[in-house]
Amino acid sequence: MKVLLVTGGAGFIGSNFVHSQLKNTENKIINLDKLTYAGNPQNLATLANESRHVFVQGDIGDSVLLEKLLADHQPDAVVNFAAESHVDRSIHGPEDFIQTNVVGTFHLLEAIRAYWNQLNPQSQQSFRFLHISTDEVYGSLTTDAPAFSETNPYAPNSPYSASKAASDHLVRAYHHTYGLPTLTTNCSNNYGPFQFPEKLIPLLIMNALQGKALPIYGDGQNIRDWLYVEDHCSAIAAVLAKGSVGEVYNIGGNYEKTNLEIVHTVCAILDELVPDSPYRPHHKLITYVKDRPGHDRRYAIDPSKIAREIGWQPAETFESGIRKTIAWYLEHRGWVENISSGSYQNWIAKNYGAR
Ligand code: NAD
Ligand code: DAU
């Protein structure tokens, strides 16, 4: 049994990771999350009686809290999911992104460095800090350019991706300068259960079920690579177990699609799964809206390093993963309703009102 300190474990990917760890391993999880608008205790509701899960509400920028948590729980590894994660929010207000993604990661690294320095040599050697990052740090690709490899230069284009790039550089420097045993993963677009409906796929599902417009930015030809969240979690576990210290691993689903193809797929599955919907065919709800400023045209991941060195492959295809995802949202209407609070409506008005 290992003790993992997971940050941001009440968010989308973090909560899926916590569930998969508790299901597939004997590990104990200390889950530190600030519970911003994106952190949802309901994502962890089924763990109320799980003794291997300890939830702590707090900020990765709180050095005093971090020192205490590290001393009390003596983790074998830290997995850092905590971040502001939505590109559109970073355009409306970048400050929180700098605060959490850059300054917060810096404080987290400092606390971990102090903790790691006083471990015995054997524990120092086996300790890992895994930083969860994104393919967006590499910038935008033209249609026929090769997919991002780990050696691509960084060229972030949004305040979000710039803040993630800065945090990746800090992680790299802490390994290079202090010898901290770090790992970094850069993953493509995730989808699946517990994703906050500000992101494309859950927004489409929620809006379609309510007969609302399905907003597509610009011409809908922007391309993303899509990965089912449980596959991202299995990749993270594999990198934690087998990754070489100081290395970076790109993670992707080998599924590049335009946003228009994604929305048509979601609509077709909803037509099939909700045959009595008054809004069928759902594709009639598709509405082109003003583009996102600085909208990256294409992301694509070359996942050959993680496949070759670690032996990881995704288990789901997009076809199987998207069906599971839509079925989950249909079965969890209560979760969806609780999310659709006043603050969510305020965000929708702010982001889509002027488009
Ligand atoms: P999310 O927004 O759903 O969750 C982020 C979580 O971090 C929330 O629970 C929030 O409360 C918590 N948090 C925010 N600020 C914090 C702070 N200062 N201290 C402690 N907790 C804080 O995000 P997500 O989609 O689950 O993404 C998780 C990580 O994965 C992020 O680092 C993101 O950059 C990265 N990532 C996301 C995707 C994707 O498609 N969603 C793809 C690649 C990488
Ligand atoms: O690539 C990994 C990244 O994927 C992560 O690092 C981010 O945390 C995550 O939010 C995601 O970023 P994107 O900007 O690609 O995801 P989003 O779901 O916001 O948008 C996906 C695409 O859909 C993008 O081209 C913008 C477009 N879009 C999005 C929304 C919310 C629309 O056309 N309409 C919308 O309403």
Side-chain angles (χ1 to χ4, degrees), residues 11-13 33-34 36 39 59-60 81 85 100 133 160 164 190:
F12 164 47
I13 306 173
D33 196 296
K34 188 177 175 181
T36 67
D59 194 318
I60 57 164
F81 294 93
S85 69
T100 283
S133 192
Y160 162 68
K164 290 297 290 186
N190 285 212

Side-chain angles (χ1 to χ4, degrees), residues 13 84-88 133-136 160 164 187-190 195 197-204 214-218 220 222-226 259 289 291-292 295-297 299 351-352 355:
I13 306 173
E84 290 293 335
S85 69
H86 190 34
V87 174
D88 292 317
S133 192
T134 169
D135 58 1
E136 300 201 12
Y160 162 68
K164 290 297 290 186
C187 188
S188 59
N189 284 58
N190 285 212
Q195 187 168 29
E198 63 188 355
K199 309 284 166 61
L200 180 67
I201 287 181
L203 181 100
L204 294 176
L214 305 179
I216 296 299
Y217 297 165
N222 301 69
I223 293 173
R224 298 290 183 267
D225 172 77
W226 294 94
N259 294 335
V289 299
D291 209 351
R292 172 187 278 175
H295 196 177
D296 284 338
R297 196 63 174 166
Y299 305 138
N351 194 41
Y352 297 96
R355 279 200 145 97

Side-chain angles (χ1 to χ4, degrees), residues 102-115:
V102 186
V103 181
T105 304
F106 161 70
H107 286 300
L108 181 62
L109 281 164
E110 275 295 89
I112 291 169
R113 181 164 76 93
Y115 166 72

Side-chain angles (χ1 to χ4, degrees), residues 32-55:
L32 171 67
D33 196 296
K34 188 177 175 181
L35 296 182
T36 67
Y37 78 93
N40 186 350
Q42 284 188 43
N43 298 357
L44 307 164
T46 56
L47 304 178
N49 298 319
E50 173 56 73
S51 59
R52 290 186 295 131
H53 178 244
V54 178
F55 182 78

